[in-house]
Amino acid sequence: MAIKAAQDLYLDPAIRDWVLIPITLIMILVGVLRHYVTLLLNSAPKKQPAAVVREQRALTRSALLRSTAPLSPLPPATYRAISSDLSEGLIAGKWLKPQATSEEEGEKNPFEAAGMEGAMDGMKKQAVMMIPNMVIMQYISVFFSGFILIRLPFPLTAGFKSLLSKDIIMPDLDAQWVSALSWYFLNLFGLNGVFKLILGSENAAVDMQSMQNMSLSAASAMPASGPGAPDYAKLYRAEAENLALAEGVYKWVGEGVEDRVLARYGR
Amino acid sequence: MNPNGPQLPGTASASHFSPSYSPLYPPAVAHNTRLSACFTGLVIGILGITNWRGFAFYALTSLGSAYLVSALKCGFNVSKYIDQGPKAAAEAEAQAGGKGAVAGVGWKGWLGLMGVGQENVLGFLLFWIGGYALIHGEYLPWDAVCGEWAGVRG
């Protein structure tokens, strides 16, 4: 049932048995392994004294309130009560942790260690993502190069040859005949969907590019509790100002709900 | 995820109140479109469909599965179930003064239900190429191809 192409080649079945299927199998298994290794590497967050946690949580609470302000489920009275209570507390420094007497060395070293651990964690995760991919790519280009693997079911222009079959030195070969490296790339991108199916959508086996986006956002979230010993008093004051700003965009989700319900039912 | 399909809203509080809230659970829609894309690819590869027909088949099946979802779950009123974007929402508000529910800009909803996103297309391609290569790759052992030379091979 295959369409007779201009170039018809016969391939050794050993290629199918020993290259096509193994590459896919290896990539699936390595992906699953990566997922579980990442799960294991995820160290539990360090236990910190209640005062420190309270200090951080105050900021979190305020940020939460602000972020839900544009479409807030809290009615105006509740929102304003919480907001003003938070502002007063932040400005007065009610939740700041009691400063240690030996401030200098007390603050520098623990934060340095915490920062390093956070950075190491991020780097470890990135390494877990990238290293298997690089190793497999090297393995494929060393062991599986120089022969044709499969034929694509759709035609391509000759420009794709340099990407998909550059190790095959046959200038007249149709671009449809590709080598093992292209199968690797196809698997790399296509298996993201398969991983999401078998590992659930929050898995650590997906592709590098999405991982890079995630690592960028993780890196930007780190300084909040990282090195540099953030001055919580200053942060509190800034947060109080932000609360005042949020007051301006606050909108209760139940505002005008009577009109919307009526409109929905055509009255 | 599929950029046109129903999205999980950004903040937790907005989950039930935001105007873009979709009664269709977005991860379920994503899961279904992913499954249908991969299975389509596999079936097409096994059947040996090539060239543009393969892509047309994919468009057809995703349209078909979107049709099914809309029939069974949305009562065919797709725009009610999937966020149509800010422009359509503004239109809807302008019209809401006069009449009732807007069966508005439907095509965006269809695109969302079809699940034609980067990840699904790549998954479809993977299974199509893999299935095609496994079943229709012309794998023949050396002896079958060059029978009379079989003994000559050193």
Side-chain angles (χ1 to χ4, degrees):
Chain A
M1 213 171 159
I3 293 183
K4 275 292 178 191
Q7 291 177 345
D8 225 2
L9 302 173
Y10 291 117
L11 300 173
D12 196 341
I15 292 183
R16 176 194 58 206
D17 297 335
W18 292 102
V19 183
L20 190 70
I21 298 175
I23 289 185
T24 309
L25 216 60
I26 288 180
M27 293 186 71
I28 292 182
L29 291 175
V30 165
V32 172
L33 189 69
R34 256 201 323 237
H35 169 64
Y36 286 116
V37 165
T38 314
L39 280 184
L40 286 174
L41 275 183
N42 269 340
S43 49
K46 247 171 99 123
K47 198 160 162 63
Q48 293 187 327
V52 177
V53 177
R54 186 180 70 167
E55 190 181 52
Q56 293 172 354
R57 290 291 177 267
L59 267 182
T60 314
R61 266 188 296 155
S62 160
L64 261 177
L65 189 71
R66 273 192 301 124
S67 72
T68 60
L71 199 64
S72 176
L74 302 171
T78 314
Y79 179 85
R80 299 227 161 79
I82 298 182
S83 170
S84 59
D85 178 56
L86 273 176
S87 303
E88 280 171 21
L90 286 176
I91 295 181
K94 200 161 75 169
W95 298 293
L96 286 175
K97 70 174 183 296
Q99 295 298 326
T101 48
S102 56
E103 266 194 31
E104 290 312 310
E105 60 263 6
E107 281 191 12
K108 278 240 175 74
N109 288 340
F111 278 115
E112 204 83 325
M116 279 317 290
E117 274 189 38
M120 273 306 293
D121 250 352
M123 269 170 41
K124 264 191 284 189
K125 285 202 191 134
Q126 271 191 311
V128 166
M129 287 302 300
M130 284 181 6
I131 287 189
N133 278 344
M134 285 171 21
V135 166
I136 294 182
M137 184 148 44
Q138 273 303 104
Y139 167 78
I140 288 183
S141 63
V142 165
F143 289 111
F144 293 137
S145 75
F147 58 87
I148 295 174
L149 184 66
I150 51 177
R151 183 173 100 183
L152 300 177
F154 46 87
L156 287 173
T157 62
F160 282 94
K161 284 211 290 190
S162 60
L163 174 68
L164 299 175
S165 57
K166 70 165 112 76
D167 47 332
I168 301 175
I169 325 277
M170 278 167 67
D172 288 332
L173 187 63
D174 224 337
Q176 284 191 296
W177 298 98
V178 299
S179 69
L181 204 60
S182 82
W183 180 239
Y184 164 75
F185 280 119
L186 190 63
N187 269 298
L188 187 63
F189 294 120
L191 282 177
N192 286 342
V194 175
F195 287 140
K196 286 198 178 161
L197 280 176
I198 57 181
L199 292 173
S201 55
E202 292 298 323
N203 70 72
V206 285
D207 189 25
M208 260 178 11
Q209 284 144 358
S210 47
M211 189 58 194
Q212 277 171 5
N213 292 339
M214 275 166 26
S215 68
L216 278 176
S217 56
S220 60
M222 268 193 332
S225 58
D231 184 6
Y232 272 98
K234 244 188 275 178
L235 282 175
Y236 275 14
R237 275 194 289 277
E239 192 61 30
E241 281 177 23
N242 289 341
L243 270 178
L245 278 170
E247 192 99 9
V249 293
Y250 164 74
K251 182 168 159 13
W252 184 37
V253 79
E255 211 175 283
V257 66
E258 304 95 343
D259 298 318
R260 274 179 289 166
V261 169
L262 289 176
R264 194 168 233 242
Y265 288 94
R267 300 278 183 274
Chain B
M1 267 203 289
N2 180 12
N4 278 325
Q7 305 283 341
L8 278 175
T11 58
S13 82
S15 58
H16 293 294
F17 304 123
S18 112
S20 66
Y21 160 65
S22 162
L24 294 176
Y25 185 51
V29 174
H31 182 91
N32 288 333
T33 53
R34 203 175 294 136
L35 266 180
S36 90
C38 293
F39 270 113
T40 306
L42 194 59
V43 165
I44 290 182
I46 292 180
L47 286 178
I49 300 180
T50 57
N51 299 336
W52 63 270
R53 296 186 192 88
F55 293 106
F57 209 112
Y58 175 52
L60 258 171
T61 50
S62 38
L63 207 64
S65 74
Y67 188 76
L68 264 180
V69 172
S70 89
L72 294 173
K73 287 282 168 190
C74 306
F76 286 108
N77 190 4
V78 162
S79 64
K80 203 164 107 173
Y81 284 81
I82 301 197
D83 182 24
Q84 300 297 314
K87 188 155 154 251
E91 243 177 78
E93 281 208 30
Q95 286 195 15
K99 275 185 27 182
V102 187
V105 188
W107 64 268
K108 261 204 180 174
W110 285 103
L111 216 55
L113 276 183
M114 273 168 62
V116 183
Q118 180 196 31
E119 187 187 277
N120 288 340
V121 169
L122 285 170
F124 159 75
L125 263 185
L126 171 67
F127 277 91
W128 183 19
I129 295 177
Y132 183 80
L134 275 177
I135 310 290
H136 294 276
E138 282 106 14
Y139 293 107
L140 286 176
W142 177 260
D143 301 331
V145 176
C146 315
E148 68 267 20
W149 296 82
V152 181
R153 197 164 154 238

